[in-house]
Amino acid sequence: MVFQTGPSCLWPHLILSSQDLGGEGRPFSWALAFPVFLPSSCPLPPQLVKTAELPPDRNYVLGSHPHGIIAVGTVCNFATEGTGLSQVFPGLRFSLAVLNCLLYLPGHREYFLSCGACSVNRQSLDYVLSQSQLGRAVVIVVGGANEALYAVPGEHCLTLRNRKGFVRLALRHGASLVPVYSFGENDIFRVKAFAPDSWQHLLQVTIKKLLSFCPCIFWGRGLFSAKSWGLLPLARPITTVVGRPIPVPQCPQPTEEQVDHYHTLYMKALEQLFEEHKESCGLPASARLTFI
């Protein structure tokens, strides 16, 4: 099943406040109803592809990949109703996990909380998944800002091998793991990539460790012409595919062996998802997913 946003691009001018309820936002229907809240998603509306049912009688941890420059596919599909998320997965309440620094920015904080987002820290995520009512789904961009360094068009490099916190989260709450991949996320901007042993790359990594975001040199199209340089994204399609859930037992204190086991299962499921859908999403058969 494929779902697509409407062609319009709307920017909300009215900002409503939202209480921070123990680490999660309070979604407002007016905020979720906007197809997008970033101008960057306007050139070609994202699509949402459902491959399996996610019954609302359990909780879920969705790992979304890749981050790209600004995670357009993840935000548009899981923080708005632009692709009809509540109709695609009825009975589920989604919470997009975002960096703490975004919740300190005036305007950004109110909007993200109004869309039901929460902080990506452990306390907030545990709070969301510990609610008595089931059907909660936390969406985490696992690779984080580090993946922006590898958001090169035509490449599919994910920071995942040593990212296991989301698996521990799922085990603590018995929440099923769900792999998600946004094809085309790395194609909407051009990126200047530096060699891993260069001083420029080292500087990027150092700033990322200090400030939680990664400074990148990127460009897209201009405001009035697709042939000019600018900061608007290129008109490339983004298709977000939601994979099959991986059942996870509840273990309040998971062992490293359990974490490694389900992390391996997740990586295999994500790779299978990529292989099954890459050609239908416009990639060549030779395209491969790389984990670092």
Side-chain angles (χ1 to χ4, degrees), residues 15-39:
I15 298 297
L16 299 180
S17 62
S18 174
Q19 293 178 336
D20 188 351
L21 303 177
E24 70 166 330
R26 174 185 294 171
F28 285 102
S29 58
W30 71 267
L32 296 173
F34 280 102
V36 294
F37 78 100
L38 291 171

PDB file of all heavy atoms in Angstrom, residues 15-39:
ATOM      1  N   ILE A  15       1.403  29.653  16.344  1.00  0.00           N
ATOM      2  CA  ILE A  15       2.104  28.726  17.215  1.00  0.00           C
ATOM      3  C   ILE A  15       1.317  28.585  18.512  1.00  0.00           C
ATOM      4  O   ILE A  15       1.043  29.555  19.197  1.00  0.00           O
ATOM      5  CB  ILE A  15       3.534  29.215  17.535  1.00  0.00           C
ATOM      6  CG1 ILE A  15       4.352  29.298  16.249  1.00  0.00           C
ATOM      7  CG2 ILE A  15       4.215  28.297  18.527  1.00  0.00           C
ATOM      8  CD1 ILE A  15       4.539  27.972  15.560  1.00  0.00           C
ATOM      9  N   LEU A  16       0.974  27.348  18.838  1.00  0.00           N
ATOM     10  CA  LEU A  16       0.271  27.067  20.078  1.00  0.00           C
ATOM     11  C   LEU A  16       1.233  26.407  21.051  1.00  0.00           C
ATOM     12  O   LEU A  16       2.118  25.666  20.656  1.00  0.00           O
ATOM     13  CB  LEU A  16      -0.922  26.119  19.821  1.00  0.00           C
ATOM     14  CG  LEU A  16      -2.000  26.642  18.868  1.00  0.00           C
ATOM     15  CD1 LEU A  16      -3.085  25.589  18.719  1.00  0.00           C
ATOM     16  CD2 LEU A  16      -2.587  27.941  19.375  1.00  0.00           C
ATOM     17  N   SER A  17       1.055  26.668  22.313  1.00  0.00           N
ATOM     18  CA  SER A  17       1.915  26.051  23.312  1.00  0.00           C
ATOM     19  C   SER A  17       1.420  24.652  23.628  1.00  0.00           C
ATOM     20  O   SER A  17       0.272  24.309  23.417  1.00  0.00           O
ATOM     21  CB  SER A  17       1.926  26.885  24.598  1.00  0.00           C
ATOM     22  OG  SER A  17       0.634  26.949  25.156  1.00  0.00           O
ATOM     23  N   SER A  18       2.336  23.825  24.137  1.00  0.00           N
ATOM     24  CA  SER A  18       1.982  22.465  24.513  1.00  0.00           C
ATOM     25  C   SER A  18       2.734  22.094  25.771  1.00  0.00           C
ATOM     26  O   SER A  18       3.908  22.390  25.924  1.00  0.00           O
ATOM     27  CB  SER A  18       2.343  21.492  23.389  1.00  0.00           C
ATOM     28  OG  SER A  18       2.135  20.168  23.801  1.00  0.00           O
ATOM     29  N   GLN A  19       2.054  21.447  26.691  1.00  0.00           N
ATOM     30  CA  GLN A  19       2.709  21.047  27.928  1.00  0.00           C
ATOM     31  C   GLN A  19       3.616  19.854  27.673  1.00  0.00           C
ATOM     32  O   GLN A  19       3.310  18.989  26.856  1.00  0.00           O
ATOM     33  CB  GLN A  19       1.664  20.679  28.982  1.00  0.00           C
ATOM     34  CG  GLN A  19       0.837  21.861  29.460  1.00  0.00           C
ATOM     35  CD  GLN A  19      -0.202  21.416  30.472  1.00  0.00           C
ATOM     36  OE1 GLN A  19      -0.608  20.263  30.513  1.00  0.00           O
ATOM     37  NE2 GLN A  19      -0.620  22.346  31.285  1.00  0.00           N
ATOM     38  N   ASP A  20       4.699  19.819  28.384  1.00  0.00           N
ATOM     39  CA  ASP A  20       5.623  18.703  28.270  1.00  0.00           C
ATOM     40  C   ASP A  20       5.236  17.700  29.346  1.00  0.00           C
ATOM     41  O   ASP A  20       5.624  17.826  30.502  1.00  0.00           O
ATOM     42  CB  ASP A  20       7.062  19.200  28.487  1.00  0.00           C
ATOM     43  CG  ASP A  20       8.076  18.125  28.179  1.00  0.00           C
ATOM     44  OD1 ASP A  20       7.665  16.986  27.967  1.00  0.00           O
ATOM     45  OD2 ASP A  20       9.273  18.452  28.174  1.00  0.00           O
ATOM     46  N   LEU A  21       4.464  16.695  28.957  1.00  0.00           N
ATOM     47  CA  LEU A  21       3.903  15.753  29.922  1.00  0.00           C
ATOM     48  C   LEU A  21       4.904  14.641  30.201  1.00  0.00           C
ATOM     49  O   LEU A  21       4.902  13.601  29.548  1.00  0.00           O
ATOM     50  CB  LEU A  21       2.593  15.174  29.377  1.00  0.00           C
ATOM     51  CG  LEU A  21       1.533  16.219  29.024  1.00  0.00           C
ATOM     52  CD1 LEU A  21       0.322  15.528  28.429  1.00  0.00           C
ATOM     53  CD2 LEU A  21       1.140  17.028  30.242  1.00  0.00           C
ATOM     54  N   GLY A  22       5.749  14.860  31.179  1.00  0.00           N
ATOM     55  CA  GLY A  22       6.688  13.816  31.544  1.00  0.00           C
ATOM     56  C   GLY A  22       7.622  13.419  30.433  1.00  0.00           C
ATOM     57  O   GLY A  22       8.108  12.302  30.411  1.00  0.00           O
ATOM     58  N   GLY A  23       7.879  14.301  29.491  1.00  0.00           N
ATOM     59  CA  GLY A  23       8.828  13.989  28.434  1.00  0.00           C
ATOM     60  C   GLY A  23       8.201  13.766  27.076  1.00  0.00           C
ATOM     61  O   GLY A  23       8.894  13.575  26.102  1.00  0.00           O
ATOM     62  N   GLU A  24       6.863  13.755  26.965  1.00  0.00           N
ATOM     63  CA  GLU A  24       6.261  13.609  25.640  1.00  0.00           C
ATOM     64  C   GLU A  24       5.345  14.792  25.369  1.00  0.00           C
ATOM     65  O   GLU A  24       4.827  15.429  26.272  1.00  0.00           O
ATOM     66  CB  GLU A  24       5.460  12.305  25.536  1.00  0.00           C
ATOM     67  CG  GLU A  24       4.193  12.292  26.356  1.00  0.00           C
ATOM     68  CD  GLU A  24       3.256  11.157  25.976  1.00  0.00           C
ATOM     69  OE1 GLU A  24       3.274  10.752  24.799  1.00  0.00           O
ATOM     70  OE2 GLU A  24       2.509  10.707  26.832  1.00  0.00           O
ATOM     71  N   GLY A  25       5.157  15.077  24.105  1.00  0.00           N
ATOM     72  CA  GLY A  25       4.309  16.198  23.743  1.00  0.00           C
ATOM     73  C   GLY A  25       2.840  15.833  23.768  1.00  0.00           C
ATOM     74  O   GLY A  25       2.458  14.681  23.896  1.00  0.00           O
ATOM     75  N   ARG A  26       2.025  16.852  23.619  1.00  0.00           N
ATOM     76  CA  ARG A  26       0.579  16.647  23.506  1.00  0.00           C
ATOM     77  C   ARG A  26       0.186  17.028  22.096  1.00  0.00           C
ATOM     78  O   ARG A  26       0.189  18.196  21.732  1.00  0.00           O
ATOM     79  CB  ARG A  26      -0.163  17.523  24.518  1.00  0.00           C
ATOM     80  CG  ARG A  26      -1.682  17.459  24.363  1.00  0.00           C
ATOM     81  CD  ARG A  26      -2.359  18.423  25.303  1.00  0.00           C
ATOM     82  NE  ARG A  26      -2.174  18.049  26.684  1.00  0.00           N
ATOM     83  CZ  ARG A  26      -2.530  18.839  27.703  1.00  0.00           C
ATOM     84  NH1 ARG A  26      -3.046  20.036  27.475  1.00  0.00           N
ATOM     85  NH2 ARG A  26      -2.341  18.440  28.934  1.00  0.00           N
ATOM     86  N   PRO A  27      -0.164  16.029  21.249  1.00  0.00           N
ATOM     87  CA  PRO A  27      -0.449  16.331  19.843  1.00  0.00           C
ATOM     88  C   PRO A  27      -1.721  17.142  19.674  1.00  0.00           C
ATOM     89  O   PRO A  27      -2.724  16.908  20.339  1.00  0.00           O
ATOM     90  CB  PRO A  27      -0.580  14.942  19.207  1.00  0.00           C
ATOM     91  CG  PRO A  27      -0.941  14.036  20.335  1.00  0.00           C
ATOM     92  CD  PRO A  27      -0.260  14.600  21.548  1.00  0.00           C
ATOM     93  N   PHE A  28      -1.673  18.125  18.774  1.00  0.00           N
ATOM     94  CA  PHE A  28      -2.835  18.914  18.402  1.00  0.00           C
ATOM     95  C   PHE A  28      -3.224  18.546  16.977  1.00  0.00           C
ATOM     96  O   PHE A  28      -2.368  18.411  16.103  1.00  0.00           O
ATOM     97  CB  PHE A  28      -2.524  20.418  18.464  1.00  0.00           C
ATOM     98  CG  PHE A  28      -2.469  20.963  19.865  1.00  0.00           C
ATOM     99  CD1 PHE A  28      -1.248  21.208  20.479  1.00  0.00           C
ATOM    100  CD2 PHE A  28      -3.635  21.231  20.567  1.00  0.00           C
ATOM    101  CE1 PHE A  28      -1.197  21.724  21.772  1.00  0.00           C
ATOM    102  CE2 PHE A  28      -3.593  21.744  21.850  1.00  0.00           C
ATOM    103  CZ  PHE A  28      -2.374  21.995  22.456  1.00  0.00           C
ATOM    104  N   SER A  29      -4.536  18.418  16.727  1.00  0.00           N
ATOM    105  CA  SER A  29      -4.993  18.009  15.405  1.00  0.00           C
ATOM    106  C   SER A  29      -4.606  19.020  14.336  1.00  0.00           C
ATOM    107  O   SER A  29      -4.310  18.657  13.195  1.00  0.00           O
ATOM    108  CB  SER A  29      -6.510  17.811  15.409  1.00  0.00           C
ATOM    109  OG  SER A  29      -7.165  19.010  15.809  1.00  0.00           O
ATOM    110  N   TRP A  30      -4.575  20.329  14.681  1.00  0.00           N
ATOM    111  CA  TRP A  30      -4.222  21.342  13.683  1.00  0.00           C
ATOM    112  C   TRP A  30      -2.784  21.181  13.229  1.00  0.00           C
ATOM    113  O   TRP A  30      -2.451  21.402  12.060  1.00  0.00           O
ATOM    114  CB  TRP A  30      -4.428  22.755  14.238  1.00  0.00           C
ATOM    115  CG  TRP A  30      -3.422  23.131  15.291  1.00  0.00           C
ATOM    116  CD1 TRP A  30      -3.546  22.989  16.626  1.00  0.00           C
ATOM    117  CD2 TRP A  30      -2.121  23.696  15.067  1.00  0.00           C
ATOM    118  NE1 TRP A  30      -2.404  23.417  17.261  1.00  0.00           N
ATOM    119  CE2 TRP A  30      -1.527  23.866  16.339  1.00  0.00           C
ATOM    120  CE3 TRP A  30      -1.412  24.077  13.929  1.00  0.00           C
ATOM    121  CZ2 TRP A  30      -0.250  24.394  16.498  1.00  0.00           C
ATOM    122  CZ3 TRP A  30      -0.128  24.603  14.089  1.00  0.00           C
ATOM    123  CH2 TRP A  30       0.436  24.756  15.371  1.00  0.00           C
ATOM    124  N   ALA A  31      -1.902  20.760  14.153  1.00  0.00           N
ATOM    125  CA  ALA A  31      -0.491  20.595  13.789  1.00  0.00           C
ATOM    126  C   ALA A  31      -0.287  19.335  12.953  1.00  0.00           C
ATOM    127  O   ALA A  31       0.441  19.342  11.962  1.00  0.00           O
ATOM    128  CB  ALA A  31       0.363  20.532  15.056  1.00  0.00           C
ATOM    129  N   LEU A  32      -0.940  18.247  13.347  1.00  0.00           N
ATOM    130  CA  LEU A  32      -0.781  17.001  12.613  1.00  0.00           C
ATOM    131  C   LEU A  32      -1.398  17.067  11.225  1.00  0.00           C
ATOM    132  O   LEU A  32      -1.003  16.340  10.321  1.00  0.00           O
ATOM    133  CB  LEU A  32      -1.422  15.855  13.397  1.00  0.00           C
ATOM    134  CG  LEU A  32      -0.790  15.543  14.756  1.00  0.00           C
ATOM    135  CD1 LEU A  32      -1.630  14.500  15.484  1.00  0.00           C
ATOM    136  CD2 LEU A  32       0.637  15.048  14.598  1.00  0.00           C
ATOM    137  N   ALA A  33      -2.388  17.950  11.050  1.00  0.00           N
ATOM    138  CA  ALA A  33      -3.110  18.008   9.784  1.00  0.00           C
ATOM    139  C   ALA A  33      -2.300  18.630   8.660  1.00  0.00           C
ATOM    140  O   ALA A  33      -2.596  18.417   7.487  1.00  0.00           O
ATOM    141  CB  ALA A  33      -4.409  18.795   9.952  1.00  0.00           C
ATOM    142  N   PHE A  34      -1.254  19.406   9.004  1.00  0.00           N
ATOM    143  CA  PHE A  34      -0.447  19.994   7.949  1.00  0.00           C
ATOM    144  C   PHE A  34       0.293  18.907   7.199  1.00  0.00           C
ATOM    145  O   PHE A  34       0.967  18.074   7.813  1.00  0.00           O
ATOM    146  CB  PHE A  34       0.570  20.983   8.528  1.00  0.00           C
ATOM    147  CG  PHE A  34      -0.037  22.319   8.843  1.00  0.00           C
ATOM    148  CD1 PHE A  34      -0.352  22.651  10.148  1.00  0.00           C
ATOM    149  CD2 PHE A  34      -0.298  23.230   7.831  1.00  0.00           C
ATOM    150  CE1 PHE A  34      -0.914  23.878  10.448  1.00  0.00           C
ATOM    151  CE2 PHE A  34      -0.854  24.449   8.122  1.00  0.00           C
ATOM    152  CZ  PHE A  34      -1.173  24.784   9.445  1.00  0.00           C
ATOM    153  N   PRO A  35       0.211  18.865   5.855  1.00  0.00           N
ATOM    154  CA  PRO A  35       0.929  17.844   5.100  1.00  0.00           C
ATOM    155  C   PRO A  35       2.413  17.863   5.386  1.00  0.00           C
ATOM    156  O   PRO A  35       3.051  16.843   5.447  1.00  0.00           O
ATOM    157  CB  PRO A  35       0.642  18.210   3.636  1.00  0.00           C
ATOM    158  CG  PRO A  35      -0.622  18.988   3.687  1.00  0.00           C
ATOM    159  CD  PRO A  35      -0.581  19.738   4.999  1.00  0.00           C
ATOM    160  N   VAL A  36       2.990  19.051   5.533  1.00  0.00           N
ATOM    161  CA  VAL A  36       4.402  19.195   5.845  1.00  0.00           C
ATOM    162  C   VAL A  36       4.567  20.438   6.692  1.00  0.00           C
ATOM    163  O   VAL A  36       3.703  21.289   6.745  1.00  0.00           O
ATOM    164  CB  VAL A  36       5.275  19.342   4.570  1.00  0.00           C
ATOM    165  CG1 VAL A  36       5.252  18.084   3.737  1.00  0.00           C
ATOM    166  CG2 VAL A  36       4.823  20.521   3.738  1.00  0.00           C
ATOM    167  N   PHE A  37       5.669  20.549   7.362  1.00  0.00           N
ATOM    168  CA  PHE A  37       5.943  21.801   8.055  1.00  0.00           C
ATOM    169  C   PHE A  37       7.296  22.349   7.664  1.00  0.00           C
ATOM    170  O   PHE A  37       7.741  23.341   8.207  1.00  0.00           O
ATOM    171  CB  PHE A  37       5.862  21.619   9.577  1.00  0.00           C
ATOM    172  CG  PHE A  37       7.063  20.962  10.172  1.00  0.00           C
ATOM    173  CD1 PHE A  37       8.039  21.722  10.790  1.00  0.00           C
ATOM    174  CD2 PHE A  37       7.225  19.595  10.130  1.00  0.00           C
ATOM    175  CE1 PHE A  37       9.156  21.127  11.354  1.00  0.00           C
ATOM    176  CE2 PHE A  37       8.334  19.003  10.696  1.00  0.00           C
ATOM    177  CZ  PHE A  37       9.292  19.759  11.306  1.00  0.00           C
ATOM    178  N   LEU A  38       7.959  21.696   6.717  1.00  0.00           N
ATOM    179  CA  LEU A  38       9.236  22.188   6.212  1.00  0.00           C
ATOM    180  C   LEU A  38       9.111  22.468   4.723  1.00  0.00           C
ATOM    181  O   LEU A  38       8.620  21.642   3.967  1.00  0.00           O
ATOM    182  CB  LEU A  38      10.336  21.132   6.429  1.00  0.00           C
ATOM    183  CG  LEU A  38      10.747  20.871   7.873  1.00  0.00           C
ATOM    184  CD1 LEU A  38      11.672  19.668   7.909  1.00  0.00           C
ATOM    185  CD2 LEU A  38      11.447  22.073   8.465  1.00  0.00           C
ATOM    186  N   PRO A  39       9.562  23.630   4.256  1.00  0.00           N
ATOM    187  CA  PRO A  39       9.522  23.899   2.825  1.00  0.00           C
ATOM    188  C   PRO A  39      10.306  22.883   2.026  1.00  0.00           C
ATOM    189  O   PRO A  39      10.053  22.673   0.860  1.00  0.00           O
ATOM    190  CB  PRO A  39      10.152  25.288   2.719  1.00  0.00           C
ATOM    191  CG  PRO A  39      10.015  25.895   4.066  1.00  0.00           C
ATOM    192  CD  PRO A  39      10.085  24.752   5.030  1.00  0.00           C
TER     193      PRO A  39
END
